[in-house]
Amino acid sequence: MKYSVSVRKFDAVIVGAGGAGLRAAIQLSESGYKAAVLTKVFPTRSHTVAAQGGVAASLGNSEEDHWHWHMYDTVKGSDWLGDQDAIEFMCKKANECVIELEHYGMPFDRTDSGRIYQRPFGGHMSNFGEKPVRRSCAAADRTGHAMLHAMYQRNVKANTQFFIEWMALDLIRDSEGEVLGVTAMDMETGEIVAFHAKATIFATGGGGRIYYSSTNAFINTGDGLGIAARAGIPLEDMEFWQFHPTGVAGAGVLITEGVRGEGGILLNAQGERFMERYAPNAKDLASRDVVSRAMTTEINEGRGCGPNKDFVLLDISHLDPATIMKRLPGIREIAIQFAGVDCIKEPIPVVPTAHYQMGGIPTNYSGQVVVPGRRSQNEIVPGFYAAGECACASVHGANRLGTNSLLDLLVFGKSAGESAVDQLKQSPKAHKEMPQGEIDRALTRIDRLNNQKDGASVHETQLEMRRTMQKHAGVFRFADLLTQGVDKILQVRENVQRTEIKDKSAVFNTARVEALELDNLIEVAVATMVSAEARKESRGARLWYKECNRLDYKSVKLTPLTVETIELKTRAY
Amino acid sequence: MTTRTLQFNIYRYDPDQDKKPWMQDIAVEVDSTDRKLLDALVKLKAKDDAIAFRRSCREGVCGSDAMNINGKNGLACLTDLSVFPAGKPIVLRPLPGLPVIRDLIVDMTQFFKQYHSITPYLINNEPPPERERLQSPEDREELDGLYECILCGCCSTACPSFWWNPDKFVGPAGLLAAYRFIADTRDQATSARLDNLEDPYRLFRCHTIMNCVDACPRGLNPTLAIGKIKAMLVQRAI
């Protein structure tokens, strides 16, 4: 094995340039620190760009709202599995973070009085669960796009140094467990570099590509999770995956909940608005796990639509076409492109589709990565931070509310950045010495891949993984399927360890990138399946089909910062 | 499930192996679940893992998979397979006018350099208020058709003026972004932005050929935005 690895030194290295990474980068660059932002794709191509419906903040621009109500909804949405300190922190910080974005230039839609436009969204209610409230701050149905571009633009202003089309490979830790940066590959040249840093922030997004049918982009391969797991950092709450109620049937492309926020309704084959039966109060705007389960039940009980009765319909044809064109123009394009229907006239066929990873790298609400240790359950890993979908703060618990993901990446991207800045202020000038053996971890993987003979096909192996996850860890969880699923996914992992690529060239070798991504995906998949099998209860987005009980003794982990604990209740919408 | 075979003719160039670019004839079987060109490309890559192209969101919002498809720039993920006539190979080339890194992957440095040259961020030097800066719905509407750009590069690389002067002409994508900030009532740098473009090359190399409008996969109209900037410069001069 002969690879030359050059070392580059920075104050901080940020892995990922989606919403969380860009928000953290603003914090570091504007504080005058030298940060390297590594990203597999040009920043505005990160998957935050695909977020549609909005970002939650209790601005109260259209009706009365309060962060405490938002906190209540988030705790309830999480089925009491979220940490109430982090949830309080996030909901309190929401207004400040959204206003900052507006100041960066984000083109929010406006109310008649010139304020940020807000629309209702699933699970967001006023007065502790009373009735739906307008809390989702939106730029048409392109909120993520508008947000990501505004944050990239702010980073251009702040002179952030980007390493575009660089893929992080592995973490560099010393013998005391402190994180000293990452090894990474320049995709254009194949060169491997060690980024030596005092602070390392992961903002690598989720791993939704473990599922066969997913709203996620090709790049959502859970890189940060794979890297953390290989470096001995346990992942948290990985059994909780959100199935978004409205993915385009067959294509998987997301249709925002904002469609229902604007008045869209779900219909079964009999033309019945079935959500009235499952959630008499919130109806189509119940939280996502509730709606997805209701849809799946309708389909399982034979009330699905189409020749195979395998989808339901999302109807907005009763809305004024002008409203659709103004508030949901992107959805109309998606419906035409991917469902072949014009939603002004016809309903859109939809199915619950894997969408969001509630679990991830465990952090506290300051974005510091924590692991169970000798002294406490939440021991801080020095020099290591995580934010956004790759992290688990944990604000989403067993089920995330719509629009809380964009809020999560803003609030925790910023707080991870602030924590890193605080650490850098106190750090000595010199970098800690980097142990050579740690760099070898990445080189060993590259070398294995370059020399593998008679191995497994990357394409076939990833298909097998995605099919296994889809079948064994879907909307409803069955004990026997999960037990078999664990065996199966461990077998798939054996194949992942012997993948072979035919293309061995150095320049922009996307076959190599895909094989390295699969190394990360399989960590996410195994963690998901094993934890799903181990958690013998129904909670939030994961439901045991028969034993429908929540194990309440496990509840309410961390208490709020200033307000009283929101006590456990039966969850109904 | 019905399947059919698609013939491709693809531009290949790997600087590691190839002295010069070549066109590869390759066929792939697709089924009824493969609706878009990107679906077929993913299947092609399963067959020959050396074919290199960018892709990410697969729904037309990230701008990664821009390429030249049967002579026209577009996104693979938004191109229906059903539009291709049977019996003729689908010809795929990298976006024209930019250096090729490998196969369908171009070096977009020059494209982004021009985007960065227009100070692509909101400039407002007043101290930020506690709440949002107010903007009427009508003023906000001025940004529609401008802010939605996904920086895929289809427009600029379809523009003959950009092919000739990629270092001097900002190009349709950059100019659309420039007008996005000029049109924003919250931005205070209009005059500096106009100064920055008052140049025989930066703005005025646009000869209203309108290839950009034809190429934009988001249906945006850079020519219209460019016309508005030109009109503002004329107005300023008189």
Side-chain angles (χ1 to χ4, degrees), chain B residues 160-237:
Chain B
S161 294
F162 190 77
W163 295 338
W164 282 108
N165 292 294
D167 52 337
K168 294 187 195 139
F169 174 50
V170 172
L175 291 169
L176 184 81
Y179 187 66
R180 176 250 172 276
F181 290 102
I182 291 171
D184 196 323
T185 49
R186 301 168 296 171
D187 189 272
Q188 297 177 325
T190 298
S191 140
R193 292 184 189 282
L194 292 177
D195 291 347
N196 175 283
L197 297 173
E198 195 165 23
D199 173 281
Y201 282 95
R202 286 180 61 69
L203 171 72
F204 287 103
R205 281 290 121 169
C206 168
H207 299 307
T208 338
I209 300 166
M210 294 182 75
N211 278 5
C212 54
V213 182
D214 195 36
C216 179
R218 305 293 324 174
L220 307 178
N221 189 334
T223 308
L224 186 67
I226 294 168
K228 286 182 177 172
I229 304 176
K230 285 179 179 169
M232 287 178 91
L233 278 170
V234 171
Q235 204 144 42
R236 190 167 83 151

Side-chain angles (χ1 to χ4, degrees), chain A residues 217-335:
Chain A
F218 281 97
I219 56 169
N220 290 16
T221 54
D223 296 341
L225 286 88
I227 293 172
R230 280 194 298 276
I233 292 166
L235 306 176
E236 179 181 1
D237 289 350
M238 290 305 294
E239 62 273 40
F240 297 105
W241 278 87
Q242 176 161 84
F243 290 81
H244 194 291
T246 54
V248 173
V253 174
L254 174 70
I255 298 282
T256 176
E257 194 168 304
V259 168
R260 283 169 283 140
E262 296 289 347
I265 53 172
L266 291 162
L267 302 173
N268 62 18
Q270 294 150 8
E272 181 205 8
R273 187 181 179 187
F274 57 85
M275 279 314 297
E276 288 178 333
R277 271 190 281 123
Y278 295 87
N281 186 25
K283 301 188 177 82
D284 301 89
L285 284 177
S287 77
R288 288 179 179 174
D289 57 330
V290 173
V291 180
S292 282
R293 267 198 300 275
M295 290 167 66
T296 308
T297 305
E298 289 300 298
I299 293 167
N300 287 349
E301 291 178 0
R303 292 185 294 277
C305 308
N308 301 319
K309 300 177 178 239
D310 56 357
F311 57 82
V312 300
L313 294 170
L314 174 61
D315 189 17
I316 49 170
S317 59
H318 53 285
L319 297 188
D320 177 10
T323 306
I324 296 174
M325 292 310 290
K326 181 154 183 66
R327 302 293 181 203
L328 305 165
I331 289 308
R332 182 167 176 249
E333 282 170 38
I334 286 174

